[in-house]
Each structure stands twice: as structure tokens, then as C-alpha cells.
Amino acid sequence: MQSITGRRCCKTAAILSRHLNSTEMKSNASPSPTPVVWDVKRHKKSNAVLNAEMKKLLAFMLNYREGAADYQKVVMLFNMSGCGLSNIDYDFIKYLISLLTEYYPDILDNLLVFEMPRLLSAAWTIIKNMLDEDSRDAIKFVNKTDVLEFVDKEQLPVSLGGKNEAA
């Protein structure tokens, strides 16, 4: 019998696989790539096994995109709606910052923070001090209207106000 963690990892792998193989990512398709969506509310920092697997999958995805013949920069979208302090995983955030600044400095187009609650502005104050100026400039705080400046409605998941039912 497969564990809950195993099922979640498989689901995450399936989502990343869809992202990596999606026709929307081809260079002759839409100018707006399919965003990598991270639903922060579902993240449980206490699950060390799942978090380790997520880190591996994220590194794999970035490495795959960087080496692709039809290379496009990545748009990451962190869905923060409904989140609280218990959802903020500073270890994962440090890992992500390390990946994007040290190993893949040119791969990120934008990191979109979707509907961040005001309660988490203190967390942002801590996180932005870990970033250089270029990285801070790549981070955009967006809502359902603003996000359409960075991602086509066709590429955005339905849960975030878009039309993409597969995401």
C-alpha cells in the first residue's frame, strides 16, 4: 500500500511532468509560459520526507528547463491565499533562493506571490533581506487582476481565475 507521502509525491511528479511536457512551453506557442504553481496553503513544513522530494523535483524541473532546446524562462506562482505563518517554510525558501541565485541565476522570469495576506508582511521583510536587488525585482505581488499582466488567462489555473483546467 502506498503511503500518503508517496501518493503526494507521485501527484507532484505528475504535475511537474505535465508542466515539463506541456505544449504551451514550446517556443512557437504562447508568449506566456505555463507558470509553475506552488499552493503554499497545502505545504506542511513538518513533513520532512515530502519536503525533500519537493526540493528534488524542483531542482529537476529547473535543470530540465535550462537544458531544453526550446528554453524559456520560468514563471513561478506562489498561491498564498488563505495562508498563515504555519505555512511559511523558511528552510524551503532558503533552498529556493539558493537554487535561483547560485545554480540557475538566469532561469527565473518572475516569481509571482498571489494574494499574500497582510499578516505575512513580516515574513516578507525577513525574506527580502536574503535577496539581492535583482532577485527582489523579479518578485511581484499580484491578485486575480494583476496576475494577467504576467500569465495568459489560458495558462492560469481555474482556481486562480484562469481557464486552464489541467493545471
Side-chain angles (χ1 to χ4, degrees), residues 59-72 104 107:
F60 170 79
M61 188 268 314
L62 292 174
N63 190 53
Y64 179 90
R65 289 305 314 150
E66 184 182 57
D70 60 341
Y71 172 78
Q72 280 187 327
Y104 304 100
I107 201 166

Side-chain angles (χ1 to χ4, degrees), residues 18-31:
R18 263 198 322 261
H19 170 75
L20 296 174
N21 296 314
S22 75
T23 56
E24 293 86 356
M25 292 297 291
K26 303 300 179 203
S27 59
N28 59 358
S30 169

Side-chain angles (χ1 to χ4, degrees), residues 49-141:
V49 173
L50 180 60
N51 291 343
E53 292 302 311
M54 289 301 301
K55 288 176 181 179
K56 289 177 191 175
L57 287 168
L58 181 61
F60 170 79
M61 188 268 314
L62 292 174
N63 190 53
Y64 179 90
R65 289 305 314 150
E66 184 182 57
D70 60 341
Y71 172 78
Q72 280 187 327
K73 290 192 169 205
V74 173
V75 174
M76 295 183 149
L77 193 151
F78 282 69
N79 180 7
M80 302 291 290
S81 55
C83 287
L85 289 174
S86 65
N87 300 108
I88 303 301
D89 185 347
Y90 288 107
D91 289 334
F92 184 80
I93 292 168
K94 285 185 213 174
Y95 176 78
L96 179 63
I97 291 169
S98 171
L99 269 181
L100 295 174
T101 58
E102 296 174 29
Y103 300 101
Y104 304 100
D106 299 322
I107 201 166
L108 185 67
D109 189 23
N110 285 299
L111 192 148
L112 307 176
V113 180
F114 186 81
E115 296 187 349
M116 185 172 89
R118 290 187 190 266
L119 169 70
L120 298 179
S121 59
W124 167 242
T125 302
I126 294 168
I127 294 165
K128 77 177 178 183
N129 289 325
M130 294 185 229
L131 304 170
D132 59 35
E133 188 175 340
D134 291 337
S135 299
R136 280 193 301 268
D137 291 343
I139 298 173
K140 312 290 184 206
F141 293 87

